[in-house]
Amino acid sequence: MGPTQRSDTRAEVVERLIALLEEAARQRVKLAVFPELALTTFFPRWLMSQPEVDSYFESAMPNPSVQPLFDCARKLEIGFYLGYAERTDSGQHFNSSITVDPEGKIIGRYRKVHLPGSVEPRENSDSQQLEKRYFQYGDLGFQAFRGAEHWHSPTMGMLICNDRRWPEAWRSYGLQGIEVMLIGYNSAAFDPNGGTTEDLALRTFHSLLVTQANAYMNSTWAISAAKAGVEDGFGLIAGSCIVDPNGVLVAQAGTMGDELVIADCDLDACRQGREKMFNFAAHRRPEHYRRIVDQVGVELPDWHSRR
Amino acid sequence: MGPTQRSDTRAEVVERLIALLEEAARQRVKLAVFPELALTTFFPRWLMSQPEVDSYFESAMPNPSVQPLFDCARKLEIGFYLGYAERTDSGQHFNSSITVDPEGKIIGRYRKVHLPGSVEPRENSDSQQLEKRYFQYGDLGFQAFRGAEHWHSPTMGMLICNDRRWPEAWRSYGLQGIEVMLIGYNSAAFDPNGGTTEDLALRTFHSLLVTQANAYMNSTWAISAAKAGVEDGFGLIAGSCIVDPNGVLVAQAGTMGDELVIADCDLDACRQGREKMFNFAAHRRPEHYRRIVDQVGVELPDWHSRR
């Protein structure tokens, strides 16, 4: 997807999503992946009052604004992944995604676990990364779900944006045997935490690198969809891609705008890795992995203080 | 390193390693990384009797054959990583590596945790992968160690070959704040587990991909050294490389033979990732990572049997 401006209405965005679905149907696509927060601009870049923040959230899914997308998908027999800001009945806020099957039924729900950024805004910066302020940490974990029969019932997982940089998230799904990972993202074309060492090229490289490597290391397909381009003056990288279980890019976005990136995903391609190099039962050694769950942050060795 | 044939003696190999160290010293190198099993051919490719297998192991390190390498390094004030087959006093066999400081002292020991291949040979194959037969699983875990003052005392880790494909291994070191990862490997230029879908190009791509991505995701330098070329008729990939904490290749082998691959590694380059994107204390969520230690192999979801 290309950018969505603050002034764009939900109706305008849903119209763009429908146009993409219709073109996808013409090309016999069975599953479409839309980005993180696909219905709005990437609003965590601004410090806002709570009522203003709330205007970016959906309190039901589908809801009247989004219903036309569900209707269109059902008519075209296409499923989709959609990222959106979720407000629950009890008033919780999550950065969420759903997977909808070709009959319009929600078959998977995910809430982003790895929220980047900070609760408090950085001083003297016109661009913030306030996901830790506006969202709660996802409380559903990494739960694989069964894809539609229309897609040959793959074992599937979802991640959102920053999650894709965390190998723990991929492995948690890999240990459930996933065959297709769906990812939506909005990634700044500059360092969202301040600093000048990261630019569009480096951040696009990082996005591809982690998607390719984690797909390979977990013997899964990965479909990763950006919202790209300039939103209200702030750049987002592109880099939407489809990666095979070898970590090889089989399709990639060529523009910063609304665009289809299409590939056939042969689920049997997962078997080479799963049965050999990454036969987890044969080769993993969890007795040596305790630090991964026993500690959160870096714990420097004792001698480090001597440095 | 280029290939080492079955008929090559330890003295001949050590002579090659010394020639590389001497050239490195002329170029002011402070730390050299040699491959896995650097003193011999990659012998796990053959089914052999135990006495023959034992001839590939070192029962002391250093020992008279290898002492000239230690002496040369101390004279030149270069440290090194060396992979070798280790037989302990109690008769255990490990695929091991050491890091030696510029004074000739062993400052780090590692024993390969992720042994690939199988205990029993595959039938009708002239090339085996019998590491699980000839070695025991490493029993030292992933223990960071302090590099020499001559190298500005980096926090360091070691992996061997197949370990580099396992994000759990990297993260276990990352959680100790490592700044430099040393890796030696021998990777077949074909599928060592049988099969025809992997070739030299794909396997070289995999080797670079996992090294770059895991270096990035753990904000560390990585120095990865192949034994390459054709050993006794069986091809090994090259791909030796030095990767910065952005996952960017800063130096790479250009040949399949003995060759120096050199870079300056600025330890401060680890800070961007460590303090922002991969600030583990701020962003990791271990409460959702339990599967990584609670299960070894894939556990398919309940509904999977219905497929």
Side-chain angles (χ1 to χ4, degrees), chain B residues 278-293:
Chain B
F278 298 111
N279 177 337
F280 292 160
H283 301 311
R284 292 182 77 247
R285 311 299 301 171
E287 65 271 29
H288 294 300
Y289 305 157
R290 293 294 325 178
R291 282 191 185 89
I292 293 172
V293 295

Side-chain angles (χ1 to χ4, degrees), chain A residues 81 95-99 107-114 138-146 154-161 163-164 166-184 214-215 217-222 270 274 278 280 284, chain B residues 167-168 288-292 295-301 303-304:
Chain A
Y81 164 111
N95 188 340
S96 297
S97 63
I98 49 173
T99 295
I107 57 173
R109 292 180 184 278
Y110 175 70
R111 291 168 172 166
K112 186 173 183 178
V113 167
H114 296 96
D139 58 355
L140 303 176
F142 306 106
Q143 195 54 52
F145 62 100
R146 188 191 197 196
T155 303
M156 308 186 79
M158 288 187 276
L159 294 174
I160 300 178
C161 196
D163 285 318
R164 74 196 187 287
W166 296 86
E168 296 93 337
W170 291 80
R171 186 62 101 222
S172 298
Y173 281 119
L175 285 163
Q176 298 167 76
I178 67 153
E179 298 165 293
V180 185
M181 182 77 92
L182 311 181
I183 307 163
N214 284 300
M217 294 189 293
N218 292 283
S219 310
T220 183
W221 287 89
C270 302
R274 187 146 308 169
F278 298 111
F280 292 160
R284 292 182 78 247
Chain B
E168 295 93 337
H288 294 300
Y289 305 157
R290 293 294 325 178
R291 282 191 185 89
I292 293 172
Q295 66 186 79
V296 181
V298 169
E299 294 181 11
L300 294 171
W303 43 257
H304 201 276

Side-chain angles (χ1 to χ4, degrees), chain A residues 113-118 132 137-147 152-156 162 164-169 171-177 179 191-198 202-203 205-210 212-214 216-218 245-249 267-268 272-274 276-301 303-304 306-307, chain B residues 113-118 132 137-147 152-156 162 164-169 171-177 179 191-198 202-203 205-210 212-214 216-218 245-249 267-268 272-274 276-301 303-304 306-307:
Chain A
V113 167
H114 296 96
L115 298 175
S118 54
K132 282 191 198 291
Y137 291 106
D139 58 355
L140 303 176
F142 306 106
Q143 195 54 52
F145 62 100
R146 188 191 197 196
H152 303 284
S153 308
T155 303
M156 308 186 79
N162 185 44
R164 74 196 187 287
R165 305 182 201 266
W166 296 86
E168 296 93 337
R171 186 62 101 222
S172 298
Y173 281 119
L175 285 163
Q176 298 167 76
E179 298 165 293
D191 182 350
N193 301 303
T196 56
T197 61
E198 300 187 358
L202 182 62
R203 289 180 57 84
F205 165 75
H206 286 160
S207 181
L208 295 171
L209 179 65
V210 297
Q212 293 180 259
N214 284 300
Y216 167 60
M217 294 189 293
N218 292 283
N246 268 314
V248 173
L249 286 166
L267 299 179
D268 284 340
Q272 165 74 10
R274 187 146 308 169
K276 293 177 178 173
M277 187 75 81
F278 298 111
N279 177 337
F280 292 160
H283 301 310
R284 292 182 78 247
R285 311 298 301 169
E287 65 271 30
H288 294 300
Y289 305 157
R290 294 291 328 177
R291 280 193 187 88
I292 292 172
V293 295
D294 288 350
Q295 66 186 78
V296 181
V298 169
E299 293 182 11
L300 294 170
W303 43 257
H304 201 275
R306 284 180 280 143
R307 184 169 161 184
Chain B
V113 167
H114 296 97
L115 297 175
S118 55
K132 283 190 198 291
Y137 290 106
D139 58 355
L140 303 176
F142 305 107
Q143 195 53 53
F145 62 99
R146 188 190 196 197
H152 304 285
S153 308
T155 303
M156 308 185 79
N162 184 44
R164 74 196 186 286
R165 305 181 201 266
W166 296 86
E168 295 93 337
R171 186 62 101 223
S172 297
Y173 281 120
L175 285 163
Q176 299 168 76
E179 298 165 292
D191 183 350
N193 301 304
T196 57
T197 61
E198 300 188 359
L202 183 62
R203 289 179 57 84
F205 165 74
H206 286 162
S207 181
L208 294 171
L209 179 65
V210 297
Q212 292 180 259
N214 285 299
Y216 167 60
M217 295 188 292
N218 292 283
N246 267 315
V248 173
L249 286 167
L267 300 178
D268 284 340
Q272 165 75 11
R274 186 145 309 168
K276 294 177 178 172
M277 187 75 82
F278 298 111
N279 177 337
F280 292 160
H283 301 311
R284 292 182 77 247
R285 311 299 301 171
E287 65 271 29
H288 294 300
Y289 305 157
R290 293 294 325 178
R291 282 191 185 89
I292 293 172
V293 295
D294 288 349
Q295 66 186 79
V296 181
V298 169
E299 294 181 11
L300 294 171
W303 43 257
H304 201 276
R306 284 181 279 143
R307 186 169 159 182

Side-chain angles (χ1 to χ4, degrees), chain B residues 119-136:
Chain B
V119 174
E120 297 304 324
R122 284 176 296 109
E123 284 185 17
N124 304 316
S125 179
D126 56 356
S127 172
Q128 303 293 340
Q129 172 37 296
L130 294 171
E131 288 192 53
K132 283 190 198 291
R133 184 183 192 90
Y134 297 147
F135 301 114
Q136 288 155 271

